[in-house]
Amino acid sequence: MRVDRCLCEDKPFAMLLAVARREGLDLGGLAEREGCGTHCGWCVAYLRRGLRTGESSFGELLPKESLDGA
Ligand code: FES
């Protein structure tokens, strides 16, 4: 199973990362604009890594992180 989207918003990471790149958003700005990470928070670690590396599909489970980095 690959992890490739915010399930709560049903938005693929590829689309979310494209929005972040186009609009110069960091994780907090992307969450505010698209809602990703603001519900269960499961996707936060994936989005944080994706913003750093460009990855939009993950084959591993990442530990849950909060939007403020804790
Ligand atoms: S999966 Fe993104 S907030 Fe729940």
Side-chain angles (χ1 to χ4, degrees), residues 20-38:
R21 273 194 301 273
R22 188 177 66 237
E23 303 194 13
L25 301 173
D26 61 9
L27 179 57
L30 184 62
E32 190 172 319
R33 186 186 190 290
E34 294 291 333
C36 51
T38 66

Side-chain angles (χ1 to χ4, degrees), residues 5-9 13 35-44 47:
R5 66 192 55 240
C6 170
L7 292 173
C8 295
E9 291 283 344
F13 294 145
C36 51
T38 66
H39 308 286
C40 75
W42 177 73
C43 60
V44 168
L47 287 168

